[in-house]
Amino acid sequence: MNDAPLHDNRPDDTRQSRPRVALFITCLADLYRPSVGFAAIRLLEAAGCTVEVPRAQTCCGQPAYNSGDRATARALAEGLITSLAGYDYVVAPSGSCAGMIRRHMPALFEQDPDQRSRAEALAAKTWELTSFLVDVMGFAGLDLTLPVRATYHDSCAGLRELGVKAQPRALLAKVAGLDLVEMAEPEICCGFGGTFCVKYPDISARMTGDKTADIAATGAELLLAGDLGCLLNMAGKLSREGKPVAVRHIAEVLAGMTTGLPPIGGPRG
């Protein structure tokens, strides 16, 4: 696969018109798969953005929010509102985190009109990565080749909260040699669901087993998705079942960053 260029050689006066984007790196990318962040930066820069990674950013607060701990979720949201202010856009390689900021964060401040207004401003400029690339930047992808049979899982939050469905497929269609084979039920939850898999492990395990059976039925060598939580969950189940399917975040493929980078859950080195 060809590596995409990272440098912008346009004149300075043109470069200054690039939208200033804050990359919301997400906890899972930070702790488990930093390559997703680097891939997102490569794609955003190639699409014509100036990208920064605000050092003060924290968790989006979704685990606390889903567990009913509104006080913790609100405290995290206040910090994010401050750390992500001043950017043209905020982009996350995760429909789950982007969905939390865009759809749920403003409701945390129903009793605080000023802070709610700031939360709504943040929500309005927050996007999931593939949606931002296609819907905002009109990005057509990089000149890449990857001869592989792949399938794609639609993560619940990205699909149902943000309408992310066609965008990742449009970008994958630009990768020469990549044969995308759809699952019978690509929109069915993989069983992760954040805290759901901890609260209801038996139900979660059954759902994940149904999902890996659907994946295997496609004959795909590669499983892709846009949320690391789903990918970690499915990669673990596929490994335990001995199914030979590599698992990657879509950003890694779109950015041409698969050579030398083991798949999620795969052996290192």
Side-chain angles (χ1 to χ4, degrees):
M1 175 176 288
N2 300 324
D3 282 336
L6 284 174
H7 302 292
D8 179 11
N9 297 315
R10 297 186 302 170
D12 289 342
D13 57 345
T14 303
R15 195 178 309 150
Q16 289 173 358
S17 66
R18 296 162 67 101
R20 185 168 172 246
V21 172
L23 177 65
F24 185 74
I25 190 61
T26 83
C27 299
L28 291 181
D30 182 32
L31 296 172
Y32 290 100
R33 196 73 172 177
S35 56
V36 173
F38 290 109
I41 291 171
R42 173 170 284 178
L43 289 165
L44 290 167
E45 289 185 340
C49 303
T50 295
V51 186
E52 299 178 29
V53 183
R55 296 179 65 88
Q57 65 178 291
T58 62
C59 174
C60 67
Q62 184 179 183
Y65 180 83
N66 288 345
S67 298
D69 184 359
R70 295 297 192 267
T72 297
R74 195 157 40 245
L76 289 167
E78 288 172 348
L80 278 184
I81 289 169
T82 299
S83 66
L84 299 176
Y87 293 94
D88 298 316
Y89 298 100
V90 176
V91 177
S94 164
S96 180
C97 297
M100 174 64 198
I101 297 172
R102 192 175 178 97
R103 297 294 299 274
H104 304 295
M105 188 173 287
L108 291 169
F109 301 102
E110 291 180 348
Q111 307 304 318
D112 186 341
D114 291 339
Q115 195 72 303
R116 183 183 177 101
S117 177
R118 297 179 68 201
E120 288 173 342
L122 174 59
K125 65 181 182 181
T126 297
W127 293 80
E128 183 272 340
L129 176 64
T130 63
S131 178
F132 179 76
L133 291 171
V134 173
D135 299 331
V136 178
M137 299 304 296
F139 184 56
L142 301 174
D143 183 14
L144 302 172
T145 298
L146 182 63
V148 67
R149 185 181 179 92
T151 193
Y152 191 86
H153 165 69
D154 294 296
S155 302
C156 294
L159 175 69
R160 294 170 176 83
E161 295 185 343
L162 303 175
V164 178
K165 175 74 174 182
Q167 302 93 328
R169 289 167 173 80
L171 292 169
L172 289 171
K174 303 294 184 180
V175 180
L178 191 148
D179 179 20
L180 185 65
V181 182
E182 295 288 358
M183 294 178 227
E185 297 182 305
E187 298 182 358
I188 296 296
C189 178
C190 73
F192 176 64
T195 56
F196 175 86
C197 64
V198 177
K199 294 176 181 177
Y200 308 104
D202 293 339
I203 299 173
S204 173
R206 176 63 182 271
M207 294 172 70
T208 309
D210 290 346
K211 175 60 67 170
T212 54
D214 200 2
I215 293 165
T218 67
E221 310 157 66
L222 177 64
L223 169 65
L224 300 171
D227 271 270
L228 268 175
C230 302
L231 289 165
L232 289 166
N233 183 44
M234 293 183 291
K237 186 69 169 178
L238 287 165
S239 176
R240 292 190 296 275
E241 294 176 337
K243 291 184 169 70
V245 181
V247 180
R248 294 188 183 277
H249 192 284
I250 185 175
E252 296 172 340
V253 167
L254 296 177
M257 291 175 57
T258 60
T259 302
L261 176 68
I264 294 169
R268 296 183 177 276

